[in-house]
Amino acid sequence: MAKALSCPRSVLLWRYAAGGMMELNPLKQFLVVARLEHLSRAADELHIAQPSLSRTIARLESELGVPLFDRGGRLRLNDSGRLFRDHVERALGELEAGRRAVAEATSEGLGSVRLASETFLTLTGPLAAYKRAHPGVEIGLHWSPPEDMARRLRAQEVDLCVASQPIHAEGLESVQLFEEAVGVGTPLDHPLSGRTSVTIDELADEPFVTAREGHWLRRLLDRLFAARDLSPKIVCESDEHSAIADLISAGLGIGLAPAFARRSVTRAPVAWIPVDSPDCRRTVTLYWGADNHLSTAARLMRSTITSWDWNTGNPPANADD
């Protein structure tokens, strides 16, 4: 077993700032390998040769005096590696926060804001209102699965995250935006379309159109069926979540659909049926790093989103923090 590794953030920064020039590439490369736990895929993502990446990781382990990965058959981040990863994420995040803070302090603008979400359909209202109120702010939108959100917030790659499923991680603060029922969408001529409610058991043999694994819609579907020792019959997995309703409308199958989607002006003609299960719901939550520096632009974005009237879709009365 690898010996315990203690690496305070200040020591970590000192190591890689020796001589007045920070060598951050080895740390950034380590984070990619730690996330993927696969050298060849990490090398492809980084656009470098795998032998070069292997040497970088080996030098890092040699300097630290402990292995960061278990190599028995498949590369796995070990306890020391996880501890080091957490410090590296925070250290690089602090450097990025410092760069952005200096840029904000020396400019006359409000800074920039980076927002990550599983879907931006829910956020089009507040985003449009924010852009109208602050046309000069640079807004970066990033699609992100929920399992990456805590890491990205710790590393300060993004300022804010909106998730449709809980993020269980330390060092985050959050505000619940809204909770809503998730129903079943069917073609208008489907036998279930006139029902006032439907049970999961009644859906067991129905073909489903849904999102790919990892998306909150798919996780909810799998969880509802697994609770009854069932597996959904999936006939189509789509990365284009806006196309799911169109495929349902075309008669390809049925699918889970949040109540929010019913208010979309571009929604396809489908019937929406409540599911007779208290667990068939989603909770949408805004997250940010508890200790992260947020630019003025990010604080204004947080205020806009948290004060938005999600029931009516009306803009907040005051978007200031």
Side-chain angles (χ1 to χ4, degrees):
M1 180 179 294
K3 63 183 179 181
L5 176 66
S6 177
C7 188
R9 215 180 312 178
S10 58
V11 174
L12 175 65
L13 290 173
W14 178 84
R15 286 179 186 272
Y16 292 94
M21 182 178 71
M22 295 185 181
E23 296 190 21
L24 302 179
N25 274 343
L27 298 177
K28 294 177 180 178
Q29 292 173 7
F30 161 73
L31 288 181
V32 176
V33 178
R35 172 166 52 86
L36 298 177
E37 295 185 317
H38 199 286
L39 275 171
S40 63
R41 288 206 297 267
D44 288 343
E45 182 172 314
L46 292 163
H47 304 293
I48 61 176
Q50 181 176 330
S52 174
L53 181 59
S54 297
R55 288 193 294 271
T56 295
I57 299 301
R59 284 196 298 269
L60 197 56
E61 291 178 320
S62 176
E63 181 174 349
L64 293 169
V66 294
L68 300 173
F69 297 89
D70 294 330
R71 293 172 170 82
R74 179 180 172 183
L75 199 68
R76 294 288 189 187
L77 196 66
N78 61 27
D79 290 343
S80 294
R82 283 187 286 272
L83 180 61
F84 186 60
R85 175 201 60 194
D86 292 346
H87 281 284
V88 171
E89 287 178 343
R90 291 194 295 270
L92 293 183
E94 286 297 322
L95 288 174
E96 172 60 16
R99 184 194 67 78
R100 297 182 74 220
V102 169
E104 182 183 2
T106 55
S107 70
E108 296 181 357
L110 301 174
S112 61
V113 55
R114 301 157 302 170
L115 174 68
S117 181
E118 297 167 273
T119 173
F120 291 101
L121 177 62
T122 307
L123 298 169
T124 53
L127 286 175
Y130 182 88
K131 190 63 179 177
R132 286 194 300 270
H134 310 290
V137 170
E138 179 183 340
I139 303 173
L141 301 179
H142 306 266
W143 181 86
S144 180
E147 57 266 24
D148 282 351
M149 288 183 178
R151 176 190 64 79
R152 300 191 75 175
L153 287 171
R154 284 196 300 266
Q156 301 196 51
E157 295 177 3
V158 296
D159 303 302
L160 306 166
C161 290
V162 176
S164 296
Q165 49 194 304
I167 300 176
H168 302 291
E170 296 181 358
L172 302 183
E173 293 188 13
S174 64
V175 170
Q176 181 176 316
L177 302 179
F178 64 90
E179 185 180 26
E180 66 171 354
V182 176
V184 172
T186 73
L188 295 178
D189 59 355
H190 192 279
L192 295 174
S193 62
R195 295 279 298 274
T196 57
S197 68
V198 66
T199 67
I200 296 299
D201 291 324
E202 291 176 299
L203 302 176
D205 296 324
E206 294 286 341
F208 272 85
V209 178
T210 188
R212 290 189 181 272
E213 291 185 358
H215 189 271
W216 74 266
L217 201 64
R218 175 63 176 275
R219 289 187 175 187
L220 176 59
L221 177 65
D222 290 340
R223 189 166 63 247
L224 290 170
F225 273 70
R228 292 156 180 80
D229 294 323
L230 298 171
S231 296
K233 180 182 176 182
I234 296 172
V235 296
C236 179
E237 295 177 327
S238 177
D239 284 330
E240 298 179 79
H241 302 133
S242 60
I244 292 177
D246 290 328
L247 294 171
I248 293 172
S249 177
L252 273 296
I254 67 172
L256 294 183
F260 194 93
R262 302 172 67 192
R263 302 198 294 269
S264 172
V265 296
T266 59
R267 70 183 184 93
V270 300
W272 190 87
I273 311 160
V275 176
D276 188 12
S277 170
D279 299 323
C280 197
R281 306 184 65 81
R282 74 160 172 164
T283 301
V284 179
T285 306
L286 176 69
Y287 293 90
W288 63 93
D291 298 323
N292 290 7
H293 167 79
L294 293 181
S295 66
T296 301
R299 294 196 303 272
L300 289 170
M301 175 70 80
R302 180 177 63 186
S303 179
T304 299
I305 293 174
T306 55
S307 58
W308 189 260
D309 188 335
W310 297 97
N311 292 318
T312 65
N314 291 329
N318 184 356
D320 292 335
D321 206 15

